[in-house]
Amino acid sequence: MRTGLTLTTALVTAAFCSSAVLAEGFPEKPVTYVVTFPAGGDVDVVVRGMQPHLEEALGQRVVVRNVGGAGGTIGAAEGAAADPDGYTLTMLAVGPASLQPHLRDLPYHIDSWEFVCRVPNSPTIALVAPDSDIDTYEELKAKALEGGMLYASPGPGSMPNIAASALGNAMGADLKNVPFQGGPEMAKAVLGGVVTFFTGEATSVENFGLKPVLVLSGERLATMPDVPSTADVGLDLELSIWYGILAPKGTPADVVQTLSDACGEAISNTSFQEFATKAKLALAYQPTAEFAEFAKQNYKQMGDLLADVGMKK
């Protein structure tokens, strides 16, 4: 599942974007970015970090609207139904994009979008409270096997839900899902002892002070070299969270290209790079064509995964 451009390649690509000619007459007014999760979560933090640089690249104000709920599908449905003129975009994550349409009938699917750019592609990480007596995967597994362990997620079919469920299956443990609206509420539940853990991104370590126990990837993260990967503990389990900017189907190709170029400029900005490093954000930029190919392949992979665990509708 490790698909995409390297950051070095992305920066080279983005360097060419700065001289791109904007689509004729676009944009002539502010551009709204619908974030499908509540304020303060990983997706929201990233788009707000990009916001001033997107404004600079587009020459217009960027408005961020949080439309959370139902695992991100409420905001996704609103974004997909917007006028295809480039003025309403959606910052969408893997859950509502690639997982939820396989689980229930929704007013959108993978073909409802034009793909502007991918921003990160981050391995999921099992996260516990900083004062938890769980410090290792072995300790997490031992406690899980005692039975009744609770974990947080944004709801059934979200990547944190799927990742935690898959981890529980790999451990041979029956874990219980407790749904919340998004990252801040999930972190609060972990910190308050309501649940034991959730699977999130490395940004949650910085944002909420959580303790990483296991990276659900074949390799350790360079930013967390002491945290074992699933390969280190003998598990064949790799699940990542990506998110990117999408436009409604039918948005003109030149407008999509302009937005993709602006995304590349924002990501390559030195200030944003510093922000991403501090937040431990795993940047994996892809411009429009590459992102479209990746997203459609990922959609199929997630459908196969859900079928394997018996969750596909």
Side-chain angles (χ1 to χ4, degrees), residues 112-227:
S112 299
W113 307 100
E114 306 291 349
F115 298 87
V116 175
C117 70
R118 187 181 72 178
V119 183
N121 190 34
S122 307
T124 52
I125 303 171
L127 302 161
V128 300
D131 58 354
S132 170
D133 58 0
I134 296 172
D135 294 311
T136 67
Y137 164 72
E138 288 74 20
E139 290 171 346
L140 179 68
K141 179 179 178 179
K143 193 159 187 175
L145 290 174
E146 294 174 3
M149 179 179 283
L150 305 180
Y151 71 89
S153 84
S158 63
M159 180 53 80
N161 166 234
I162 299 300
S165 178
L167 179 59
N169 287 344
M171 294 189 298
D174 183 19
L175 307 179
K176 307 299 182 184
N177 177 29
V178 181
F180 295 87
Q181 268 211 323
E185 292 82 4
M186 291 157 59
K188 184 177 179 180
V190 170
L191 293 169
V194 177
V195 300
T196 301
F197 80 105
F198 72 90
T199 58
E201 298 174 70
T203 50
S204 292
V205 176
E206 182 73 23
N207 294 341
F208 307 118
L210 299 175
K211 179 169 56 176
V213 174
L214 181 71
V215 178
L216 277 65
S217 171
E219 300 175 354
R220 297 191 182 201
L221 285 175
T223 54
M224 299 180 181
D226 296 330
V227 181

Side-chain angles (χ1 to χ4, degrees), residues 72-313:
T73 59
I74 294 176
E78 179 178 315
D83 290 337
D85 55 10
Y87 288 103
T88 301
L89 307 175
T90 306
M91 190 67 146
L92 200 62
V94 58
S98 292
L99 289 166
Q100 294 285 357
H102 290 295
L103 298 172
R104 52 199 174 110
D105 293 328
L106 293 169
Y108 70 90
H109 47 78
I110 197 66
D111 294 324
S112 299
W113 307 100
E114 306 291 349
F115 298 87
V116 175
C117 70
R118 187 181 72 178
V119 183
N121 190 34
S122 307
T124 52
I125 303 171
L127 302 161
V128 300
D131 58 354
S132 170
D133 58 0
I134 296 172
D135 294 311
T136 67
Y137 164 72
E138 288 74 20
E139 290 171 346
L140 179 68
K141 179 179 178 179
K143 193 159 187 175
L145 290 174
E146 294 174 3
M149 179 179 283
L150 305 180
Y151 71 89
S153 84
S158 63
M159 180 53 80
N161 166 234
I162 299 300
S165 178
L167 179 59
N169 287 344
M171 294 189 298
D174 183 19
L175 307 179
K176 307 299 182 184
N177 177 29
V178 181
F180 295 87
Q181 268 211 323
E185 292 82 4
M186 291 157 59
K188 184 177 179 180
V190 170
L191 293 169
V194 177
V195 300
T196 301
F197 80 105
F198 72 90
T199 58
E201 298 174 70
T203 50
S204 292
V205 176
E206 182 73 23
N207 294 341
F208 307 118
L210 299 175
K211 179 169 56 176
V213 174
L214 181 71
V215 178
L216 277 65
S217 171
E219 300 175 354
R220 297 191 182 201
L221 285 175
T223 54
M224 299 180 181
D226 296 330
V227 181
S229 69
T230 45
D232 290 329
V233 298
L235 299 180
D236 181 17
L237 188 61
E238 296 189 48
L239 292 166
S240 64
I241 296 174
W242 63 261
Y243 39 95
I245 297 170
L246 289 79
K249 188 71 174 181
T251 303
D254 58 344
V255 171
V256 173
Q257 188 63 57
T258 292
L259 292 165
S260 183
D261 292 348
C263 178
E265 287 190 50
I267 290 172
S268 65
N269 184 280
T270 301
S271 177
F272 183 76
Q273 290 286 315
E274 292 172 351
F275 158 83
T277 299
K278 181 178 179 182
K280 296 182 172 61
L281 182 65
L283 292 177
Y285 168 71
Q286 286 182 324
T288 175
E290 288 87 345
F291 181 33
E293 181 180 0
F294 164 83
K296 291 175 182 180
Q297 180 185 34
N298 181 256
Y299 180 82
K300 182 181 183 306
Q301 290 173 333
M302 293 299 100
D304 293 342
L305 171 65
L306 292 170
D308 288 343
V309 298
M311 294 181 65
K312 192 170 181 178
K313 66 181 180 183

